[in-house]
Amino acid sequence: MLHGHGDDAYLYKHAIKANFSTNIWYGGKSENLNTFIKDNLDKIYAYPEAAAESLNDLIALDQNVSSDQVLTCNGATEAFYLIAQAYHSKTSIIITPTFAEYEDACMVNKHQLNFINWSNLQSTTLFAEGLVWLCNPNNPDGRVVEKTFLETLLKNNPKSTFVIDEAYIDFTDAISSAIDLIDKYPNLILVKSLTKNFSIPGLRLGYLISNKVMVQNIRFFKPPWTVNSIAIEVGKYILQRKQSFLPPVKQYKSDRKEFAEKLAQIPALKIWPSETSYFLIELEKSSASELKNYLISEFGLLIRDASNFRGLNEKFIRVATLTKEKNQLLIDALTQWSKLN
C-alpha cells in the first residue's frame, strides 16, 4: 500500500539535475564504500545470516544495549510492519501529519486507527491502550519533541506502547535520542534507520530497540534472511567508521537556514519552521502537483508533493537541503515560477 513517497525520480524520463524530494544526507556517497561493496560481492553466492546476527551485535554495542534488545530489519519500514503485526487488530493512534507507512502497516494488520494532529499533542495527553506512533524528528515538517515531553507521555500512559521513529535523529542537534529511556520504560519502542543518515537507502537497513520481552514478541513475526549479505557487511563497515559517515549537523542546519531564508523572499511561498535539513513550504498559488510537474519539465528539479500526508493539503511541498549550488537552482526556478503566477 504505497501512499506515495519522496524520491520518485524513477517515474520520470527527464534527467534530474537536483533531487529535493528525498531527505537523505546528500553528501554521504563514499568511494571507499563503493570499493568495499565491490570487494564483497562474492558474499551473494551464500545465504546471509538468518537474523543479521553479526550486525545486530554491532548495533547493540553502538547503542550500549544488549543484543536481545535489538532487531535488525530490512529498513525501518520492515520494523513498522513487524510491530503492527505483533499488535494485530489492536488500536493505533498516529500523530499527524507524518510518515504514511505507519498507517499502511496498521491498516494491513487491521488496527483500529485514530489520529491526533501535532498541534493538539500535549505532554499531558492521555491515550487508551494500544500503540502510539510518533516520528521524532518528524517527517515531513522537521519538528521535534523534547525528551522530558516524551518521558511525561510514557509515564502518564503506562498501558500505551509508544513507537518512536528516530530515523532522522542525526539530522538535528535540537534533541538527542531517547535510547536512555529504553530500560526505564517497558512501553517504549525505538525505530532507527541506517539508510538516511548514511546515504544508503537502496540497501534497506534499519532496526528497532526495546526491552527483551518486547523484542522477542516482535521477532516471532520476522521472516529469516530479510537483510541481505551485502547490507549486513555494509552496515558493519559503516558502524565501525560511524563518525566519518554522519552528516555534519551544524553546517547542514546552517545551510538549511540560508536556503529557507532565500526561499522566503519569493512571493507566494510560506516556509514552515524546521529543526532538520528538510522543511515544508506552503504555496499561496498553484498546487503542489502543478508546481512539481513544472519544475520537472522546465528545470529537471524534483520536489516532494506533500499533499498526500494526512493533515496536509494540495498546497504543501517538502524540500530537502542540498549543496548551495543545487539550492540556488531551485531558488532561481521558483523565482521564475512566482513571476508566472
Side-chain angles (χ1 to χ4, degrees), residues 41 235 309:
L41 284 178
F309 283 94

Side-chain angles (χ1 to χ4, degrees), residues 154-175:
L154 291 164
K155 194 180 300 181
N156 290 344
N157 294 278
K159 293 185 178 180
S160 298
T161 298
F162 288 77
V163 183
I164 308 300
D165 178 2
E166 291 190 344
Y168 300 100
I169 197 72
D170 291 325
F171 289 76
T172 187
D173 54 5
I175 56 170

Side-chain angles (χ1 to χ4, degrees), residues 314-340:
E314 73 280 358
K315 295 296 184 180
F316 284 90
I317 64 171
R318 188 195 69 200
V319 300
T321 305
L322 301 179
T323 64
K324 290 189 177 184
E325 293 76 17
K326 289 184 176 179
N327 291 347
Q328 191 61 48
L329 292 177
L330 185 60
I331 293 165
D332 293 341
L334 287 173
T335 300
Q336 184 168 326
W337 163 80
S338 178
K339 292 176 180 178
L340 297 173

